[in-house]
Amino acid sequence: MRDGRIILLMGAPGSGKGTQSSLLESQFGFTCISTGAMLREEARQDTSAGFRLRQIMASGELVDDRTVCAAVGSQIKSLVAQSNGSGANLVLDGFPRTVEQAMCLDQLLEEIGMPGPLVLHLDVPQDVLLRRLARRRQCAVCGAIYSLASGPGFAGLSAGGGRCRIDGGTLVERDDDSEGVVSRRLAAYETATLPVLDYYRKRDFRSGIYRRLDGNRNAAEIAKEVCDIVLFFADTAVAA
Ligand code: AP5
């Protein structure tokens, strides 16, 4: 059995998965895979696959399991291989989103000899999600996530200057953050992804661990808690 666990950041649209991934990468050295960012990149291509993805994502529906599982599976295998097979500190943002995807991940982890995932559920009330998505801005070049909100309760990147602090790119609204599409994304979360949380809640230690986190707090505070939980379970996995 390999050391470490795959960490799943789960939560509704706007719950802060992308913000946490980026804090975990920049401040704690985790490697993150974001399926949303991967698919957006693919959707920008001038190909028939790119066109199909643009249509699905613009509608707020989920991309089919086969496409997503193939893309994430090959990324995980290559990153685990690069980390000398340990697979420690690999965070998945936005995957799995269906029970079929969760089963596909189980199969992959078994294949590469890793224990079940550490599932961290960022729980945020719906009115807060809607407010956050309406205020989100993203760098048109690198995809860094910003907010029109600011102040001590936030601790993410503030969109105040209108330009990305990393590369000076323009900050824009995401195409799927319009009101109509947001409600379809939330509906897809309730129908397809909430059952995935149930799927993980019933697990034992070896086959996976589920933790609910209060996602309606300062972003840096959440990242610190995520990091503490991950380190605790990584140590426990090594010792087990
Ligand atoms: P994806 O990009 O993953 O979108 P999502 O799940 O809807 O999540 P978001 O990116 O909207 O929100 P987030 O939780 O990352 O929040 P963020 O950190 O940005 O997926 C897009 C599409 O791709 C899907 O609709 C689907 O079509 C497809 N797709 C992706 N994965 C798929 C899969 N596995 N299967 C099938 N299809 C898939 O934060 C939001 C805002 O809040 C920001 O402005 C941020 O600054 C702010 N904020 C963050 N944290 C805090 C905080 N603690 N306090 C205050 N403000 C905060």
Side-chain angles (χ1 to χ4, degrees):
M1 185 72 74
R2 298 182 197 281
D3 296 342
R5 281 183 189 270
I6 299 274
I7 299 125
L8 308 182
L9 277 184
M10 297 193 60
S15 57
K17 303 180 296 295
T19 301
Q20 289 306 315
S21 292
S22 117
L23 287 171
L24 290 167
E25 263 183 336
S26 62
Q27 297 184 10
F28 300 104
F30 289 79
T31 302
C32 303
I33 301 175
S34 156
T35 44
M38 258 169 56
L39 293 167
R40 270 188 291 282
E41 180 61 39
E42 193 60 38
R44 269 194 285 273
Q45 309 304 315
D46 194 13
T47 57
S48 57
F51 177 72
R52 188 178 61 89
L53 284 178
R54 277 199 295 282
Q55 281 190 318
I56 298 171
M57 293 169 81
S59 73
E61 302 297 328
L62 294 181
V63 175
D64 64 282
D65 293 332
R66 205 168 150 191
T67 303
V68 181
C69 287
V72 177
S74 68
Q75 276 266 9
I76 293 177
K77 281 183 183 166
S78 117
L79 287 168
V80 168
Q82 281 168 37
S83 65
N84 290 328
S86 76
N89 297 346
L90 181 57
V91 178
L92 304 187
D93 150 14
F95 180 89
R97 281 191 208 217
T98 64
V99 172
E100 286 72 18
Q101 291 179 16
M103 287 160 69
C104 164
L105 178 65
D106 280 346
Q107 218 173 4
L108 174 74
L109 295 180
E110 201 179 317
E111 204 183 296
I112 60 179
M114 289 188 75
L118 171 55
V119 182
L120 301 178
H121 169 199
L122 297 171
D123 198 10
V124 177
Q126 176 132 338
D127 58 322
V128 178
L129 295 173
L130 293 173
R131 211 165 39 241
R132 284 188 187 176
L133 291 171
R135 293 173 178 174
R136 172 166 56 192
R137 297 294 179 269
Q138 204 154 15
C139 173
V141 179
C142 70
I145 302 163
Y146 289 80
S147 175
L148 294 176
S150 57
F154 171 47
L157 295 171
S158 163
R163 294 260 161 204
C164 178
R165 288 188 213 169
I166 302 159
D167 54 24
T170 315
L171 301 185
V172 294
E173 274 186 74
R174 232 167 76 175
D175 292 342
D176 57 354
D177 275 348
S178 65
E179 223 174 282
V181 182
V182 163
S183 63
R184 282 200 292 277
R185 286 164 57 205
L186 288 169
Y189 175 75
E190 281 182 19
T191 316
T193 312
L194 285 182
V196 181
L197 295 175
D198 279 337
Y199 178 82
Y200 286 126
R201 270 190 203 109
K202 298 172 188 147
R203 295 276 172 114
D204 62 22
F205 179 78
R206 265 284 152 211
S207 59
I209 299 158
Y210 168 90
R211 286 284 180 279
R212 176 200 161 273
L213 272 67
D214 175 5
N216 191 17
R217 290 176 291 158
N218 178 291
E221 203 179 307
I222 301 169
K224 170 79 174 62
E225 188 183 354
V226 169
C227 190
D228 288 346
I229 297 175
V230 170
L231 294 180
F232 173 78
F233 282 110
D235 287 349
T236 320
V238 172

